Amino acid sequence: MVYQKAKTFYHSEFEETLHTTGLKMALYVYKFGGTSVGNVERIKAVAEKVKKAHDLGDQIVVVLSAMSGETNRLIGLAKQMQVHPTERELDVLISTGEQVTVALLSMALHELGCEACSYTGSQVKILTDSSYTKARIRKIDDDRIHADLNTGKVVVVAGFQGIDEQGNITTLGRGGSDTTAVALAAALKADECHIYTDVDGVYTTDPRVEPKARRLDRITFEEMLEMASLGSKVLQIRSVEFAGKYNVALRVLSSFKEGCGTLITYEESQMESALISGIAFNRDEAKLTITGVPDLPGVAFKILGPIADANIEVDMIVQNIADDATTDFTFTVHRNDYQRAKSLLEQTCATLGARKVTADDSIVKVSIVGVGMRSHAGIASTMFQALAAEGINIRMIATSEIKISVVVDEKYLELAVRALHAAFKLEQGSED
Ligand code: ASP
Ligand code: MG
């Protein structure tokens, strides 16, 4: 398979090798994010890169984001018209950012003598449901794209957008161009979907927190989903789910430097040696506790019901074993929802006759993620020992099959990440 061999070569060398040995012509979907198309010079650089791949004989479909900052700018304009802009109109507006970049890239390709054609989501067409600002893709017509590819054209598609059954323009949620790219790769049965971005791959943790962080050659879909949902913002979560579901080989690479990036794929035997693939963290957490709650059936529902009704997402939940017919109940929410959650919980406290509410919005969540956890014991104790050695108090613990998360005080975030990175020897690399 193409993407397995890529591991041993830098990307361009790898492609050249394939072509000189006449192995195969590949179909790639390349997606470039907002920074990669942030100005005219960068769009020209993308055109050069695309032309190079195309000249080697590959079929290339390019998906683009809007120029960086553009979607925010458009949302800002909308808010000057309406406090809560009408969603249908908002989608008409914010889908324009991508229409600009696809047209400009096509022009840049023409200037280089490369045949190319740009399309909006509705022209392709990318059929979605009618949930404006967060639509889901239902179906993609690939006929027009295949026809263009077969005549040797590069096809350039606007990311982030589609059209519903009634012909209304829709958008796929912030960061949605990743999902467009993966969905197109699935529909076209592309060999790989390359996400070109401003980082050169997925790292064991955020290099700004731990400079010894190492780029991973590979990571599984499951691990990537955990990392993404825990705050590693390399890819839109939905695009990873999509890629996992349709088995689209997904590669994250830098737009600006050569390299083979990180391949996101299914678990393979050679990955088993890595116990932990990465450390993710989330600074946006807040913790709420209600103590002295009468320990009766329905209490968890009475506590969390009003929170759910207020559309506040709850992350970790811990309830203690009761020893005096009362129990303590703790959960975490996003910091943006902290004040609202706190006042709702105070009302619940009064109606339930519970003792009191304590709350803390200066906590963070740090998690270790790895499929290796399934088959190895002692990972949790290694984690707790490493934190203890630094004198870091763990406030909450939660586990899933491939993840262990702890809540610690905000001031320990960097220390905790570095201690865990060292404890699991992530800087040395267990893959190569
Ligand atoms: N332009 C959209 C956004 O900023 C979609 C994307 O870039 O993926 O969210
Ligand atoms: Mg993005």
Side-chain angles (χ1 to χ4, degrees):
M1 263 186 294
V2 176
Y3 40 90
Q4 286 182 340
K5 288 189 188 155
K7 196 179 171 192
T8 46
F9 296 98
Y10 278 114
H11 177 64
S12 54
E13 269 175 53
F14 156 65
E15 285 191 341
E16 270 155 35
T17 311
L18 278 183
H19 289 285
T20 49
T21 53
L23 271 175
K24 75 177 288 206
M25 180 181 73
L27 195 169
Y28 289 116
V29 174
Y30 286 0
K31 183 260 172 179
F32 293 89
T35 329
S36 313
V37 293
N39 58 41
V40 165
E41 293 316 314
R42 289 195 171 166
I43 294 176
K44 288 183 180 173
V46 167
E48 299 273 358
K49 198 175 184 100
V50 169
K51 179 172 189 292
K52 215 166 132 193
H54 187 250
D55 285 350
L56 290 168
D58 286 332
Q59 295 191 321
I60 310 286
V61 175
V62 184
V63 173
L64 297 183
S65 288
M67 290 182 178
S68 53
E70 179 63 5
T71 310
N72 287 342
R73 188 186 71 88
L74 294 168
I75 292 172
L77 287 176
K79 288 192 170 155
Q80 290 179 48
M81 298 300 145
Q82 274 183 296
V83 185
H84 299 292
T86 310
E87 290 190 325
R88 182 190 179 280
E89 307 313 320
L90 188 61
D91 277 354
V92 172
L93 178 70
I94 63 180
S95 61
T96 60
E98 275 73 10
Q99 190 168 340
V100 170
T101 50
V102 291
L104 291 175
L105 179 67
S106 275
M107 291 174 193
L109 284 163
H110 295 166
E111 189 64 18
L112 297 175
C114 180
E115 278 199 72
C117 192
S118 66
Y119 295 104
T120 62
S122 58
Q123 286 175 308
V124 166
K125 75 187 199 189
I126 297 177
L127 185 73
T128 71
D129 62 21
S130 306
S131 321
Y132 300 117
T133 75
K134 48 180 176 309
R136 294 200 167 244
I137 297 176
R138 285 200 174 143
K139 191 167 151 274
I140 294 182
D141 288 347
D142 53 3
D143 300 353
R144 198 161 177 181
I145 297 182
H146 275 304
D148 275 356
L149 291 173
N150 291 337
T151 63
K153 280 186 192 153
V154 170
V155 177
V156 188
V157 180
F160 178 55
Q161 54 185 266
I163 189 167
D164 73 1
E165 296 273 12
Q166 289 73 44
N168 298 300
I169 292 174
T170 55
T171 66
L172 310 177
R174 298 308 305 271
S177 301
D178 293 341
T179 300
T180 305
V182 172
L184 272 172
L188 296 165
K189 301 191 174 49
D191 292 271
E192 272 191 17
C193 178
H194 289 187
I195 308 284
Y196 289 94
T197 176
D198 42 4
V199 293
D200 65 350
V202 179
Y203 276 69
T204 49
T205 195
D206 186 339
R208 284 168 298 187
V209 170
E210 171 51 283
K212 290 187 197 132
R214 179 176 50 88
R215 183 183 54 76
L216 293 161
D217 284 335
R218 291 165 170 252
I219 186 169
T220 67
F221 288 115
E222 274 177 295
E223 289 170 324
M224 190 62 216
L225 275 178
E226 291 286 6
M227 299 282 279
S229 62
L230 292 166
S232 308
K233 296 181 183 65
V234 187
L235 287 170
Q236 194 201 32
I237 293 182
R238 220 207 286 175
S239 71
V240 183
E241 282 168 3
F242 213 108
K245 190 161 161 202
Y246 295 98
N247 198 9
V248 174
L250 195 59
R251 191 181 288 279
V252 176
L253 314 102
S254 163
S255 304
F256 308 111
K257 49 178 189 180
E258 290 283 316
C260 57
T262 300
L263 180 66
I264 305 164
T265 183
Y266 275 107
E267 196 169 341
E268 283 172 36
S269 54
Q270 76 237 52
M271 300 168 106
E272 275 171 17
S273 57
L275 290 182
I276 296 302
S277 291
I279 299 167
F281 55 83
N282 190 346
R283 299 180 197 266
D284 305 322
E285 301 255 328
K287 167 167 88 67
L288 300 121
T289 301
I290 175 166
T291 56
V293 186
D295 188 26
L296 298 167
V299 153
F301 173 65
K302 283 188 185 135
I303 295 170
L304 293 181
I307 304 283
D309 291 344
N311 238 324
I312 298 175
E313 229 178 279
V314 172
D315 181 18
M316 290 161 96
I317 304 173
V318 174
Q319 188 192 314
N320 285 343
I321 295 174
D323 57 2
D324 62 347
T326 71
T327 184
D328 299 345
F329 194 98
T330 303
F331 58 95
T332 63
V333 296
H334 193 282
R335 259 184 222 183
N336 292 344
D337 296 323
Y338 174 68
Q339 288 302 344
R340 275 197 311 141
K342 194 170 163 219
S343 57
L344 285 168
L345 195 60
E346 274 156 0
Q347 288 166 31
T348 309
C349 183
T351 41
L352 285 180
R355 195 173 310 126
K356 68 169 195 278
V357 170
T358 51
D360 187 351
D361 66 347
S362 53
I363 51 124
V364 291
K365 182 167 75 170
V366 179
S367 310
I368 57 175
V369 175
V371 290
M373 252 180 237
R374 287 201 184 108
S375 47
H376 289 83
I379 299 207
S381 68
T382 305
M383 179 184 200
F384 303 153
Q385 186 183 25
L387 297 172
E390 298 293 345
I392 300 171
N393 196 16
I394 301 172
R395 307 233 170 246
M396 288 172 84
I397 301 171
T399 63
S400 77
E401 211 189 349
I402 64 161
K403 172 186 77 178
I404 304 172
S405 303
V406 295
V407 165
V408 299
D409 290 348
E410 190 173 25
K411 64 180 183 217
Y412 292 129
L413 173 73
E414 278 80 9
L415 185 60
V417 170
R418 287 191 210 126
L420 294 171
H421 204 266
F424 289 100
K425 301 187 173 49
L426 290 178
E427 76 280 9
Q428 290 170 13
S430 41
E431 299 183 282
D432 302 314

